[in-house]
Amino acid sequence: MQVTSDFQGRCREALNDPQIRRNFRFAMDGLMSKRRASLGDEDEREGLRARCAAIRANALARLPDLLEQLERNCTENGIRVHWAETVQEANRIVLDIVRGHHARRLIKGKSMVSEEMGLNHFLEGQGIECLESDLGEYIVQLAGETPSHIIAPAIHKNRQEVAELFRRKFPDIPFQEDPEALARSARRILREKFEQAEIGLSGVNFAVAETGTLCLVENEGNGRMCTTVPPVHIAVTGIEKVVERLGDIPPLLDLLVRSATGQHISTYFNMISSPRREGERDGPREVHLLLLDNGRSRIHRDAQLIDTLRCIRCGACMNHCPVYGRIGGHAYGSTIPGPIGSVVEPQKEGLARFGELPTASTLCGACAEVCPVRIPR
Amino acid sequence: MRAEVHLTSPSQWAERLLQLCREKGLGNLLYAADGPLAPAIDAVWENADAPPERIRHATTIEQWKPALFADTEAAVTSVRAGIADVSALVLWPTPQEPRSYSLVPPVHFAVLHAGQLYHSFAEVVEQEQWHTGMPSNALLISGPSKSADIEQTLAYGVHGPMQLIVLLLI
């Protein structure tokens, strides 16, 4: 009997596309070697991994308490906290905020949870424009695609493909293939959008219960733009992103960045604890924090699966996965691809849709070896 | 990380700042007229021959956003602390030196006293007892804006400043 599912079909298609194979191989080799260079000292690396795994495990063990504490401290700081059990509820909450301000357009920093919500599609159906501002996300949006990697969304395209896309979308801009020239074009186009945006939306890397602080890691500055310039900032995140103490942040930031890109530190680390305060001359006047469940509390109740919620979304598991490196992110068909996506997505979206994803494994264990928070333990 | 670092002294940094503005051909410089750097900047600028225009705004961003985005070539801010092990600056924007100063203009000058250096981020958070009261926005900044979203190739000056210039006062 021959059964060809959508997933198998997509895998076959990706494997037969030499451009996809080349683009991913090139990118994954680069990301792996950068991580290796940055985390070369085994004692230091393993010490840091043990520490970060413990921080995340502790946060999950106390999740209900920490979420209440986060809500209390954010509220005290002037951040408005919203809870959503489903993506439908989450989308509705964002829409209500946008409508409350009579806004027609939203400018976005990188947020995988907004991808999980299908927020762009939903808001556009309501006549509200969502503009991605992270360079990779912007490219993907221009192409009408979805991200193929959680930290490098346009990794499936090479410079020629991006240049061709820009030529098609912006015929007035002279053709250029140099990544920096392409980035500068995006800068010019988006600068005006930041200036005029009525609402900025971002994700959250870590939410600190102790102080009610939202932490964002980025290199481009678009995340800072979205959370600094517009009068309203909406941060969307999953309930598992909370950590207990501010002192938990330095090791997590350190290991996240080194695991993800091999940098010592990102260009920007942005810690937001309140809207603009009395006397301050900029910053949003309103900050909203939207906490999404969408199956996470069910995962949290499962003794086997709870550890998957430790994930800090560095992407190292996909960078090192022999399957991901060959089929790329789109073949998975899920918001989060790669090893962690293969475990989490069937739980969140159901076995009917993503039940096959766990078969995208060679059982080599590379993902577990590189995971900064030791999933699976 | 492609930040420029210039060693200078507490008495001469503003001269150095003026010289750097000239070398870079900057037409204007945003700074906080009521901030900690103003006395030194004003003293140097007022005695200089045709220095870059000083931009001062004691108003909210809403009142001058178009000029901030379109016409402001550079900004200078103070820095709360430096982190040695990863080479990062700690900024806690204040009413006088708002967060957009280190973000929107294409060139950011940051003035850091060597005495404010810490070994690590963990050390700053711990010693300064950040958990007892966070500002509306705290920032670590380690270089000019950059992206590797196209072919993992570093491209500088994507959305934030294209140049970060640190004046380290010893």
Side-chain angles (χ1 to χ4, degrees):
Chain A
M1 186 176 79
Q2 271 214 323
V3 180
T4 306
S5 67
D6 287 354
F7 177 54
Q8 287 170 351
R10 289 193 302 267
C11 287
R12 195 159 301 140
E13 211 174 298
L15 291 170
N16 283 326
D17 184 335
Q19 196 62 63
I20 295 243
R21 298 286 295 271
R22 262 197 304 274
N23 294 352
F24 274 94
R25 186 72 273 138
F26 176 75
M28 296 305 104
D29 286 348
L31 287 165
M32 282 192 288
S33 79
K34 284 177 200 156
R35 176 188 173 276
R36 206 159 41 235
S38 160
L39 286 165
D41 182 331
E42 187 180 344
D43 288 347
E44 191 223 0
R45 179 183 66 234
E46 296 311 314
L48 204 46
R49 286 179 75 209
R51 192 160 167 215
C52 289
I55 288 171
R56 293 293 300 133
N58 167 62
L60 293 171
R62 306 193 43 213
L63 188 63
D65 286 349
L66 294 184
L67 286 169
E68 280 180 24
Q69 195 189 350
L70 176 71
E71 178 179 36
R72 210 165 44 242
N73 285 327
C74 283
T75 306
E76 220 165 83
N77 295 347
I79 296 174
R80 302 184 202 184
V81 180
H82 310 261
W83 301 91
E85 198 175 329
T86 63
V87 297
Q88 289 77 17
E89 270 178 48
N91 283 328
R92 179 56 59 177
I93 289 166
V94 174
L95 179 65
D96 286 347
I97 297 169
V98 174
R99 290 236 168 105
H101 289 276
H102 308 287
R104 308 292 303 169
R105 180 191 284 156
L106 199 116
I107 193 148
K108 288 180 67 194
K110 207 168 150 23
S111 156
M112 288 311 293
V113 168
S114 76
E115 301 283 346
E116 176 180 341
M117 289 159 60
L119 179 68
N120 293 9
H121 180 74
F122 170 79
L123 285 182
E124 269 151 28
Q126 306 288 327
I128 291 153
E129 186 195 342
C130 285
L131 185 64
E132 296 286 349
S133 63
D134 170 83
L135 180 58
E137 293 280 355
Y138 182 63
I139 291 167
V140 163
Q141 187 177 42
L142 283 177
E145 297 172 353
T146 54
S148 60
H149 189 286
I150 59 171
I151 59 155
I155 202 91
H156 56 288
K157 290 193 182 303
N158 61 25
R159 70 180 70 191
Q160 288 80 21
E161 291 168 306
V162 177
E164 196 45 54
L165 176 68
F166 273 59
R167 166 152 68 191
R168 226 173 47 243
K169 296 285 174 179
F170 309 107
D172 297 342
I173 302 177
F175 181 77
Q176 49 205 358
E177 284 190 354
D178 171 48
E180 192 153 280
L182 290 163
R184 290 289 165 87
S185 293
R187 176 190 177 95
R188 279 189 294 275
I189 296 161
L190 288 170
R191 227 172 140 71
E192 180 191 338
K193 310 283 185 187
F194 286 124
E195 185 199 322
Q196 293 163 1
E198 301 153 285
I199 298 187
L201 186 134
S202 77
V204 174
N205 289 95
F206 311 108
V208 185
E210 180 184 35
T211 53
T213 300
L214 313 177
C215 304
L216 279 78
V217 181
E218 60 149 342
N219 286 318
E220 295 182 9
N222 67 303
R224 285 189 64 199
M225 285 281 187
C226 291
T227 60
T228 297
V229 179
V232 180
H233 168 210
I234 305 172
V236 298
T237 195
I239 54 170
E240 83 282 17
K241 289 287 177 67
V242 68
V243 297
E244 184 183 353
R245 297 176 325 116
L246 204 60
D248 294 338
I249 294 298
L252 285 173
L253 170 67
D254 188 23
L255 195 55
L256 167 62
V257 174
R258 290 160 79 184
S259 299
T261 59
Q263 292 170 270
H264 300 302
I265 189 168
S266 52
T267 302
Y268 301 114
F269 187 59
N270 184 2
M271 306 174 86
I272 297 161
S273 301
S274 79
R276 181 186 310 193
R277 288 182 186 154
E278 183 72 31
E280 290 181 340
R281 295 169 191 167
D282 67 5
R285 294 181 188 277
E286 253 178 52
V287 177
H288 297 265
L289 171 64
L290 169 52
L291 290 155
L292 174 65
D293 187 327
N294 192 29
R296 289 166 174 82
S297 47
R298 191 167 34 75
I299 297 174
H300 187 261
R301 283 194 297 273
D302 186 312
Q304 261 195 312
L305 293 168
I306 183 171
D307 290 341
T308 60
L309 295 177
R310 289 184 193 170
C311 177
I312 55 173
R313 302 283 188 265
C314 70
C317 62
M318 47 202 83
N319 300 343
H320 291 75
C321 177
V323 178
Y324 177 92
R326 284 164 180 80
I327 63 174
H330 287 151
Y332 291 79
S334 52
T335 305
I336 299 185
I340 187 66
S342 300
V343 184
V344 171
E345 296 284 356
Q347 290 299 324
K348 286 205 289 226
E349 307 297 326
L351 292 175
R353 211 168 146 212
F354 290 128
E356 273 184 300
L357 293 191
T359 66
S361 168
T362 66
L363 306 179
C364 71
C367 46
E369 221 171 283
V370 298
C371 176
V373 287
R374 295 191 165 157
I375 307 169
R377 68 185 131 179
Chain B
M1 303 198 250
R2 225 194 251 194
E4 274 179 43
V5 180
H6 297 273
L7 298 183
T8 173
S9 71
S11 58
Q12 289 179 327
W13 67 267
E15 292 277 4
R16 190 84 181 94
L17 174 65
L18 176 60
Q19 186 192 349
L20 287 164
C21 286
R22 287 194 161 131
E23 283 168 20
K24 291 172 186 298
L26 297 168
N28 59 46
L29 177 72
L30 172 66
Y31 74 117
D34 46 358
L37 306 178
I41 292 174
D42 289 337
V44 168
W45 253 250
E46 274 151 27
N47 291 310
D49 182 30
E53 181 199 350
R54 283 170 291 173
I55 302 181
R56 291 176 282 206
H57 276 277
T59 55
T60 61
I61 188 173
E62 285 76 18
Q63 290 165 276
W64 73 292
K65 236 187 230 185
L68 170 64
F69 272 79
D71 307 328
T72 308
E73 295 181 31
V76 59
T77 71
S78 63
V79 170
R80 182 184 175 93
I83 300 174
D85 66 350
V86 292
S87 310
L89 307 173
V90 179
L91 272 73
W92 279 25
T94 59
Q96 292 74 35
E97 290 183 329
R99 45 182 119 171
S100 50
Y101 282 28
S102 64
L103 175 66
V104 180
V107 179
H108 175 209
F109 292 99
V111 179
L112 170 64
H113 289 268
Q116 298 162 301
L117 278 170
Y118 287 83
H119 175 69
S120 65
F121 182 27
E123 193 183 78
V124 190
V125 169
E126 166 97 26
Q127 288 197 7
E128 294 192 343
Q129 301 273 299
W130 282 20
H131 67 277
T132 58
M134 288 290 279
S136 48
N137 187 216
L139 294 160
L140 304 190
I141 301 178
S142 69
S145 151
K146 65 174 179 278
S147 174
D149 274 347
I150 302 173
E151 280 193 14
Q152 291 295 296
T153 305
L154 272 179
Y156 286 89
V158 188
H159 297 295
M162 297 190 266
Q163 295 181 56
L164 172 66
I165 299 138
V166 181
L167 296 171
L168 182 57
L169 278 47
I170 299 178

